[in-house]
């Protein structure tokens, strides 16, 4: 079954404690990205990657890092989380054909105290 | 990407067809109309897309007007599980690397 998986699904942490949210896809997609969703602000892109070792900033990259060492994985790293990073996070992937659709993961609800 | 306009909310009775409209009057010739939905706090889910012809799949039908300035997503027999926010997105076919722009969408409430 084609899917994007994220872990953990829920996380409560404290300010400054480094954390990683993993994302993996089984569709051999080149493109992967991270979004955050906040009430009233909709979905905003944090980072994206067009292929292995190729990453770029989205609309709200401050405070986040990513890496793309393997095609299937695209972890999101918060080196020093702050309360304003409390949000619902989604990983997504797609192929690079013109009308390929995006597949989204189930989401990670992060609370930073 | 062209801007889209959708009604903020709609209601539908279970078993009836849900018709969700979207206006995209500034759409360009190479821009497709995509529909996604998001069931409460889950990841957005692709429904259907089209360029100018009407499209149908196992989930829904997409009707695009001849001038392409508006479209309608049709869920032929809505169920309670179709309650979700529905997003109409217009996107060019050469933007593989750019983010999907989700607007506010239409909140569809299906009731029994």
């Amino acid at each position: 079954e084609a899917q994007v998986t994220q872990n953990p699904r829920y996380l409560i942490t404290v300010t400054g404690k480094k954390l990683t949210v993993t994302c993996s896809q089984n569709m051999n997609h080149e493109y992967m990205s991270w979004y955050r969703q906040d009430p009233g602000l909709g979905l905003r892109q944090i980072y994206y990657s067009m292929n292995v070792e190729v990453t770029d900033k989205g609309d709200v990259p401050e405070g986040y890092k990513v890496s793309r060492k393997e095609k299937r994985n695209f972890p999101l790293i918060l080196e020093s989380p702050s309360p304003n990073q409390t949000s619902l996070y989604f990983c997504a992937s797609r192929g690079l054909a013109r009308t390929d659709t995006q597949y989204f993961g189930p989401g990670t609800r992060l609370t930073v105290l | 990407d062209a801007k889209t306009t959708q009604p903020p909310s709609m209601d539908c009775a279970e078993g009836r067809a849900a018709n969700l409209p979207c206006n995209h009057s500034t759409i360009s010739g190479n821009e497709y109309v995509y529909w996604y939905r998001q069931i409460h706090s889950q990841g957005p889910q692709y429904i259907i897309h089209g360029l100018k012809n009407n499209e149908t799949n196992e989930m829904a039908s997409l009707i695009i007007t001849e001038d392409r300035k508006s479209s309608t997503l049709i869920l032929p027999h809505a169920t309670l599980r179709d309650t979700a926010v529905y997003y109409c997105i217009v996107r060019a076919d050469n933007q593989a690397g750019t983010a999907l722009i989700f607007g506010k969408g239409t909140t569809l409430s299906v009731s029994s």
Side-chain angles (χ1 to χ4, degrees), chain A residues 31 35 37 40 42-43 45 48 50 59 88 90 94-107 109, chain B residues 32 34 36 38 40-46 49 87 91-104:
Chain A
Y31 177 89
Y35 293 80
Q37 186 172 32
L43 280 141
Q45 191 181 51
Y48 66 94
M50 297 289 283
D59 297 321
L88 180 58
F90 293 104
R94 57 167 284 177
L96 291 182
R98 285 186 163 188
T99 57
D100 273 355
T101 60
Q102 286 211 24
Y103 290 80
F104 285 81
R109 187 167 292 281
Chain B
Y32 286 73
Y34 288 81
Y36 282 76
Q38 186 175 23
H40 179 64
S41 294
Q42 296 181 21
Q45 176 190 25
Y46 165 79
H49 73 279
Y87 298 98
R91 182 177 176 83
D93 64 358
N94 60 352
Q95 295 186 314
T98 59
L100 287 177
I101 307 298
F102 289 83
K104 296 190 186 305

Side-chain angles (χ1 to χ4, degrees), chain B residues 80-111:
Chain B
L80 298 178
R81 288 175 294 180
D82 292 321
T83 293
V85 180
Y86 287 78
Y87 298 98
C88 170
I89 299 168
V90 170
R91 182 177 176 83
D93 64 358
N94 60 352
Q95 295 186 314
T98 59
L100 287 177
I101 307 298
F102 289 83
K104 296 190 186 305
T106 296
T107 298
L108 175 68
S109 299
V110 181
S111 57

